[in-house]
Each structure stands twice: as C-alpha cells, then as structure tokens.
Amino acid sequence: MREPDDKELEEFWRHPALQALPPEERARLAGQLRLLRLEPDQALFADEQTASHAYLMRSGGMKLRQREKEWRRRQGFIGGEAALGEARRRGDAWADGEATLYALPLAPLRELAERHPGLRRALQD
C-alpha cells in the first residue's frame, strides 16, 4: 500500500458519498487513506477474517462471494459493512484481473458514516 498522489486524491473525492464531507473531515481521512494494487486473482479478504479496512474501487474489478452467491463489482465500496459494525468479513473478495482500490481504515470511516447518511448508505450497498 502507498499514499495516493494529489490526482488520485482528487479522483477519490469525486465519489458522490464523499462529496458532502467538510474540508476538516476530508483532511483527516486523507492522511490515513492508502492505495492498494492487486494482481489478478489476489485475495483482498476472506470469510470470517477480522476487518481492518473498507475499500473503494478505483480501477479494475473484484469478485465477491458470500455463501453460495458470487458476483463481480467494478465500482463502489468493497467490505463497507465493516465500517458499520461487522467485526468479521461476511464473504471473500479477490481481484478480477488487476485492480486498484483505496483502503480506508475502519475507525475514522465509522465515525464519518455515523454523521453522514449518504456515506452510510454507500457503505451498505
């Protein structure tokens, strides 16, 4: 993981659920934000694993599996339920080809979701 550059941060703030955050909350979150690059089929997390981050897709895609249901995702949050109180993952996620994601630590994201309903809804999707 690495820190996002200015262009990547600008791209991050374009997500509709993040646009309503005030500058001081953006600054606090930006200081903890990381960019993660995954190789094809590389695991992001596994079922029952303790969660430490939620992720926002930047590029590529992800495969997700929960019980016997499997689907693909190319945008939005991955593992957002962890920021809403789920301590353990409820499924598996791995890269569908190369993928780049923003990694957001759970504690500050959880605080923001409590104050911003739009962010909370996006994390639930």
Side-chain angles (χ1 to χ4, degrees):
M1 281 198 272
R2 65 171 178 81
E3 291 184 31
D5 63 28
D6 290 341
K7 179 184 174 197
E8 292 160 339
L9 270 176
E10 182 180 315
E11 210 174 274
F12 175 76
W13 297 123
R14 286 188 201 135
H15 188 280
L18 300 169
Q19 291 178 355
L21 298 180
E24 64 276 4
E25 290 183 331
R26 284 181 177 215
R28 188 173 52 230
L29 187 57
Q32 299 177 62
L33 185 65
R34 297 293 177 263
L35 205 59
L36 174 64
R37 185 177 180 283
L38 299 176
E39 297 296 325
D41 297 317
Q42 183 178 349
L44 177 62
F45 56 76
D47 191 33
E48 294 298 317
Q49 183 179 36
T50 301
S52 62
H53 291 78
Y55 305 90
L56 179 62
M57 295 293 308
R58 179 172 186 259
S59 65
M62 297 295 294
K63 293 178 189 175
L64 300 124
R65 180 177 43 234
Q66 197 171 43
R67 296 191 182 136
E68 292 165 25
K69 179 181 165 191
E70 190 172 305
W71 67 100
R72 288 179 164 78
R73 191 155 213 184
R74 300 238 175 254
Q75 61 184 1
F77 286 94
I78 305 290
E81 68 281 350
L84 304 174
E86 293 285 335
R88 296 200 175 275
R89 299 293 183 189
R90 296 185 301 180
D92 304 300
W94 66 99
D96 185 16
E98 291 182 1
T100 306
L101 303 98
Y102 296 98
L104 301 98
L106 293 180
L109 190 58
R110 187 175 293 125
E111 292 172 15
L112 290 172
E114 289 172 4
R115 291 192 299 273
H116 299 280
L119 177 57
R120 184 176 189 81
R121 282 190 299 276
L123 290 166
Q124 291 172 326
D125 285 346

